[in-house]
Amino acid sequence: MEERFDLIADFDLNMICNFFRQLDRQGPGSEDETIKALSFIKELPINAKIADLGCGTGGQTITLANNISGDIIAVDLFPGMIEYLDKRVKQQGLEDRITGLIASMGDLPFSDNEFDLIWAEGSIYHIGFEKGLNEWMKYLKPGGFIAVTEATWLTSNRPIEIERYWNENYPEINTASFKLKQLEQAGYNPIATFVLPESCWSDIFYKPMADHFDSFLKEYNYSESARQFVKRQKEEIAYYELYKKYYGYVFYIGQKPE
Ligand code: SAH
């Protein structure tokens, strides 16, 4: 797994996967914002083929299936995530539309020109924004779309403490204008860019996360690594509370030229 940029790189990956998969979402985002991003993508065929990369337990996958037609391949590196995704898909009766696949987004078993749409919420950072945009282009049909969310500076000047925190954890964070340029340089036409509202972090991601700490610690018998992990997550939440006006997630939507 390409974990170089992961905020949680030093911990037992199974434990972390188990923690996150018990949450509805594994990153900041919401149904409303997924639908908003979709509203910019107007020309999908009825039998569209869609890839959802780093799908986690499928929060956004279900929203995609409920709002566009076509078939979705939902990809995650961790079997534990796909196991929960499969359960959710079954509960919703979407088995004929969504197929879970265990694979790495850096080494995808896809063919050139296969997809009408590539989706990646809160996950492209695992291989890096620039690398992901460049590598995934070939899987899109001409005229196909890409939509990803990515950690982005919302101002051009930031306090040194938050700069340091992000540079230690994901040095590829940058401003939206910089990232849009990378999207253009990768060969896409820009379609839309918008900032996710704070509620996607505070209410939808961090609140359920914080509510889950106690039962998680119990589940792991208050082990040293579980306590360290929770401490690290609490630190992440505290940084967000203090510095949220300086960074956020931005949706970047592009189109491969015809
Ligand atoms: N899209 C989901 C999950 C985001 S968290 C949401 O927004 O809720 C990022 C996801 O990427 C995790 O589920 C993690 O297991 C997965 N992941 C990490 N590295 C990956 C890789 N190399 N290939 C595919 N998935 C990966």
Side-chain angles (χ1 to χ4, degrees):
M1 182 172 185
E2 298 174 57
E3 280 292 340
R4 191 157 57 97
F5 299 128
D6 203 317
L7 296 171
I8 49 186
D10 304 333
F11 294 97
D12 172 347
L13 289 178
N14 284 324
M15 183 186 80
I16 294 164
C17 175
N18 189 41
F19 175 83
F20 280 108
R21 73 181 185 157
Q22 295 181 46
L23 307 177
D24 268 355
R25 297 200 58 115
Q26 289 73 46
S30 76
E31 185 169 16
D32 284 352
E33 301 309 307
T34 300
I35 291 171
K36 180 171 174 180
L38 271 177
S39 74
F40 295 104
I41 297 169
K42 298 206 158 61
E43 303 126 54
L44 288 179
I46 297 279
N47 59 350
K49 213 172 157 193
I50 299 136
D52 182 9
L53 307 180
C55 60
T57 60
Q60 72 292 314
T61 324
I62 306 281
T63 305
L64 290 174
N66 286 334
N67 288 278
I68 42 177
S69 60
D71 294 329
I72 305 174
I73 300 183
V75 179
D76 205 280
L77 186 62
F78 285 104
M81 292 290 178
I82 295 296
E83 188 194 325
Y84 272 42
L85 167 102
D86 285 344
K87 272 190 204 154
R88 234 168 160 175
V89 166
K90 239 190 187 147
Q91 276 164 9
Q92 306 265 333
L94 287 166
E95 300 99 307
D96 56 334
R97 306 266 323 279
I98 299 174
T99 308
L101 175 73
I102 300 163
S104 173
M105 60 174 85
D107 183 22
L108 291 162
F110 297 152
S111 312
D112 289 1
N113 302 328
E114 192 175 339
F115 292 96
D116 298 282
L117 174 62
I118 292 179
W119 206 266
E121 284 195 45
S123 58
I124 195 172
Y125 78 95
H126 282 288
I127 59 167
F129 182 80
E130 190 178 20
K131 183 172 175 205
L133 288 181
N134 279 285
E135 285 196 359
W136 300 344
M137 166 74 97
K138 60 178 177 289
Y139 303 125
L140 280 178
K141 293 176 190 164
F145 292 89
I146 190 158
V148 305
T149 57
E150 166 78 343
T152 303
W153 291 129
L154 304 178
T155 62
S156 15
N157 291 303
R158 282 87 45 179
I160 184 73
E161 195 186 2
I162 193 60
E163 289 255 4
R164 203 178 295 133
Y165 179 76
W166 271 98
N167 285 332
E168 274 165 18
N169 289 299
Y170 184 55
E172 218 185 304
I173 188 170
N174 214 308
T175 54
S177 55
F178 185 91
K179 300 232 168 236
L180 201 55
K181 194 161 191 182
Q182 288 181 317
L183 180 131
E184 289 170 337
Q185 280 169 346
Y188 301 93
N189 299 330
I191 297 295
T193 300
F194 64 92
V195 181
L196 296 194
E198 192 199 316
S199 57
C200 286
W201 295 73
S202 309
D203 304 337
I204 296 174
F205 186 45
Y206 286 147
K207 169 102 180 37
M209 184 191 289
D211 289 346
H212 188 49
F213 288 148
D214 282 350
S215 62
F216 169 78
L217 286 168
K218 257 186 216 132
E219 187 182 343
Y220 284 88
N221 264 324
Y222 299 88
S223 72
E224 176 61 20
S225 57
R227 279 187 290 123
Q228 283 299 325
F229 172 72
V230 167
K231 188 173 162 222
R232 188 94 173 246
Q233 293 309 116
K234 284 185 173 168
E235 183 184 78
E236 183 189 314
I237 297 172
Y239 268 106
Y240 184 73
E241 281 311 311
L242 262 178
Y243 295 111
K244 59 191 166 196
K245 64 177 180 220
Y246 300 102
Y247 66 92
Y249 260 14
V250 172
F251 239 116
Y252 297 92
I253 302 160
Q255 186 173 23
K256 181 170 174 172
E258 291 283 353

